[in-house]
Amino acid sequence: MKIKDILSANKPSLSFEVFPPKTETVFDSVKAATEEIAKLRPSFMSVTYGAGGGTSKYTLDIAKNIKELYGVPTLAHLTCVSSTKESVRQKINEIKAAGITNVMALRGDIPPALEGADRSGWDYRHAVDLIYELKAADPDFCIGAACYPEIHPESPNQKEDIRYLREKVDAGADFLTTQMFFDNNLLYNFLYKIREAGITVPVIPGIMPIANANQVQRAIKLSGSFMPQRFKSLVDKFGSDPAGMKQAVIAYATDQIIDLYANGINNVHVYSMNKPDVAARIHSNLSDILGK
Ligand code: FAD
């Protein structure tokens, strides 16, 4: 099933992101965790892709398994930075052979060793190049792309970031998924600006319930997300109490999601961090709203 068709249904729904294992040794435990999340019957599940090939080999294994065992539609992520045309085309063929029709087209982060390097000879410089490649390989692919309510860290300003976002949509992105954010007003402002810029495709907000205080600091540093005082207080109070922190973060994420639904956004994507218990508790908090 195409994600764009799921998004056109006029009712609240929830989807989850999982990431593949980094090594063979943890493959079975990661697979089991993703299966537990699939049992919640989310509207779809996305499976991330290790830029530079780190965990790329397992993205399709996990996505195919969820789809075949539980019938949950899957979205396979794919990155292109520092990849050759040959390797990307091979990956696209593998995605097609696995029967996956939804692809999240990403640039990926620039590996530290290549920062500042001359990019003129690279086969792919931006996600838009990958979107063109996917469309050429199969016009029937349903394509997602990333967007940043708080601006991509490399962008000089939001106007330019939105100009390039529009390029991705014009190239064929059917929907956009946001970077995590902790203040819904940032999303509402962003939506206003992109609609004004002529971007009309559905935007799926990404919510991250990070239940570990150290991970919160790291994730926020990497993404550049703004931490509202309400969230800071929660980390200050419960950061050293793992069970309390988990409960508080689940409540915070649930509150954010309900506000998004209440403001007319139907599908929300939860970065599950491969934690079935966190996914299940958020899902359960929303059970009546989701009608399950
Ligand atoms: P781009 O769209 O190429 O944008 C990157 C920067 O370049 C932006 O500043 C943009 O404004 C600018 N830009 C875009 N097009 C042009 C152009 N034509 N000319 C000049 N400048 C331009 N990473 C992974 O490695 N694996 C994953 O699975 C993964 N999943 C993600 C899922 C989501 C929802 C999000 C939000 C991010 C994800 N990432 C993932 C991280 C992502 O790869 C990084 O944020 C990366 O730095 C940018 O990727 P992008 O696709 O947004 O790049």
Side-chain angles (χ1 to χ4, degrees), residues 17 47-51 77-79 104-110 125-128 145-148 152-156 160-162 164-165 167-168 177-180 271:
E17 178 177 288
V47 188
T48 64
Y49 186 90
H77 290 206
L78 183 63
T79 65
M104 185 75 182
L106 298 145
R107 184 195 70 179
D109 285 322
I110 309 283
R125 275 181 277 174
H126 292 287
V128 69
C147 65
Y148 303 84
H152 184 270
E154 291 165 32
S155 285
E160 195 162 311
D161 211 23
I162 291 177
Y164 291 126
L165 186 61
E167 268 189 21
K168 293 199 277 193
T177 307
T178 76
Q179 178 62 283
M180 63 172 164
Y271 296 116

Side-chain angles (χ1 to χ4, degrees), residues 19 29 46 53 73 78 117-119 125 151 158 176 184 186 189 212 229 245 264 268 270 291:
F19 52 80
S29 61
S46 66
L78 183 63
D118 174 18
R119 299 182 195 177
R125 275 181 277 174
I151 310 180
Q158 192 166 42
L176 302 167
N184 287 2
L186 292 165
N189 289 341
N212 173 308
Q229 189 54 48
M245 176 75 184
V268 179
V270 175

Side-chain angles (χ1 to χ4, degrees), residues 235-258:
V235 179
D236 283 350
K237 179 78 182 170
F238 304 110
S240 54
D241 163 15
M245 176 75 184
K246 192 186 275 189
Q247 191 165 47
V249 161
I250 288 169
Y252 191 95
T254 304
D255 193 40
Q256 261 192 294
I257 296 170
I258 290 174

Side-chain angles (χ1 to χ4, degrees), residues 164-217:
Y164 291 126
L165 186 61
R166 169 88 198 247
E167 268 189 21
K168 293 199 277 193
V169 173
D170 290 346
D174 295 292
F175 64 92
L176 302 167
T177 307
T178 76
Q179 178 62 283
M180 63 172 164
F181 57 90
F182 298 91
D183 177 349
N184 287 2
N185 286 326
L186 292 165
L187 178 86
Y188 301 139
N189 289 341
F190 173 71
L191 284 178
Y192 179 81
K193 287 181 185 161
I194 66 167
R195 299 307 184 212
E196 214 180 21
I199 297 172
T200 56
V201 294
V203 174
I204 310 177
I207 298 297
M208 189 177 271
I210 318 174
N212 173 308
N214 296 329
Q215 276 177 5
V216 171
Q217 305 301 346

